[in-house]
């Protein structure tokens, strides 16, 4: 039932300095997530509730979205858009009970967690990394509980309350935004 997974993430400010190059679009005073491709920044908390095209477009060639949130992110709505999406968050990420699907990479400088009050199965396709939540050091906190009555449908004995599926497509599609690691090997004479 309670299954903490621990991951590590570099400091938010370091990621922001290294990967927000150019002029990312500023998301101010809205809980709308851009549906168009590009890099976006929100200074302050973001409660994701809807998608819409905004008047700021990126010249990037790959269809993907990177959203830097300098604060906390609350996911209140399913995320299942066609464009790959990465959230890089300086605080915590909270997934609300009604949310059952998140197709994104979630990176939190603090913690990522869902809420114990939910009896809905949560499916995350992408990736999840949380650096720190509390004194225990748990970065990803999973609390959903499907219950024990299998006659009613999904239950803890037969189904995971949280299903996390890593999708490497995000790594390739986001190289333009997040950079690439290049290694060169060569043989030298002894």
């Amino acid at each position: 039932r309670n299954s903490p997974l621990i991951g590590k993430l570099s400091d938010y400010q370091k990621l922001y300095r290294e990967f927000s190059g150019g002029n990312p679009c500023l998301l101010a005073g809205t809980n709308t997530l851009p549906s168009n491709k590009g890099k976006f920044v929100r200074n302050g908390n973001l409660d994701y509730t809807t998608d819409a095209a905004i008047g700021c477009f990126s010249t990037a060639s790959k269809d993907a979205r990177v959203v830097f949130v300098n604060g906390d992110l609350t996911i209140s709505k399913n995320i299942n858009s066609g464009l790959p999406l990465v959230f890089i968050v300086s605080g915590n990420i909270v997934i609300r009970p009604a949310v059952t699907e998140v197709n994104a990479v979630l990176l939190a400088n603090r913690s990522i967690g869902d809420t114990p009050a939910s009896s809905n199965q949560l499916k995350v396709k992408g990736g999840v990394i949380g650096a720190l939540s509390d004194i225990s050091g748990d970065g990803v906190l999973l609390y959903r509980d499907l219950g024990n009555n299998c006659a009613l449908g999904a239950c803890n004995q037969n189904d995971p309350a949280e299903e996390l599926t890593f999708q490497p497509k995000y790594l390739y599609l986001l190289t333009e935004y997040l950079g690439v690691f290049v290694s060169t090997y060569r043989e030298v004479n002894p």
Side-chain angles (χ1 to χ4, degrees):
R1 183 179 142 161
N2 297 337
S3 8
L5 302 175
I6 299 173
K8 290 292 179 188
L9 173 67
S10 295
D11 179 75
Y12 170 83
Q13 291 301 326
K14 180 180 176 185
L15 288 172
Y16 181 78
R17 278 191 312 273
E18 290 185 21
F19 301 126
S20 68
N23 292 317
C25 300
L26 185 62
L27 302 175
T30 179
N31 285 323
T32 299
L33 185 66
S35 60
N36 46 298
K37 67 182 179 179
K39 290 182 192 176
F40 305 90
V41 175
R42 172 64 181 255
N43 290 314
N45 297 336
L46 174 63
D47 184 355
Y48 166 65
T49 56
T50 188
D51 286 343
I54 62 170
C56 182
F57 293 89
S58 170
T59 58
S61 62
K62 294 183 180 172
D63 289 334
R65 298 176 289 172
V66 177
V67 180
F68 290 89
V69 179
N70 191 9
D72 293 336
L73 169 65
T74 302
I75 300 173
S76 299
K77 174 185 180 267
N78 286 344
I79 299 175
N80 52 15
S81 93
L83 286 179
L85 173 63
V86 171
F87 285 103
I88 300 175
V89 179
S90 70
N92 299 303
I93 298 175
V94 175
I95 302 170
R96 294 279 186 217
V99 175
T100 59
E101 182 179 9
V102 175
N103 293 332
V105 173
L106 307 175
L107 305 171
N109 207 47
R110 300 278 310 148
S111 71
I112 299 173
D114 56 8
T115 51
S118 181
S119 60
N120 296 318
Q121 184 181 47
L122 173 63
K123 293 184 179 183
V124 178
K125 294 178 182 172
V128 176
I129 301 173
L132 175 69
S133 85
D134 56 20
I135 199 162
S136 70
D138 296 336
V140 179
L141 304 168
L142 306 175
Y143 292 114
R144 294 197 180 208
D145 185 354
L146 299 178
N148 295 320
N149 189 347
C150 296
L152 296 176
C155 65
N156 287 336
Q157 287 87 354
N158 301 326
D159 304 290
E162 294 94 353
E163 184 177 304
L164 307 176
T165 305
F166 173 67
Q167 292 192 334
K169 72 176 182 179
Y170 288 97
L171 300 179
Y172 169 73
L173 291 171
L174 297 171
T175 54
E176 183 174 326
Y177 296 103
L178 299 178
V180 295
F181 177 77
V182 177
S183 293
T184 304
Y185 296 94
R186 63 187 170 115
E187 186 175 348
V188 292
N189 289 331

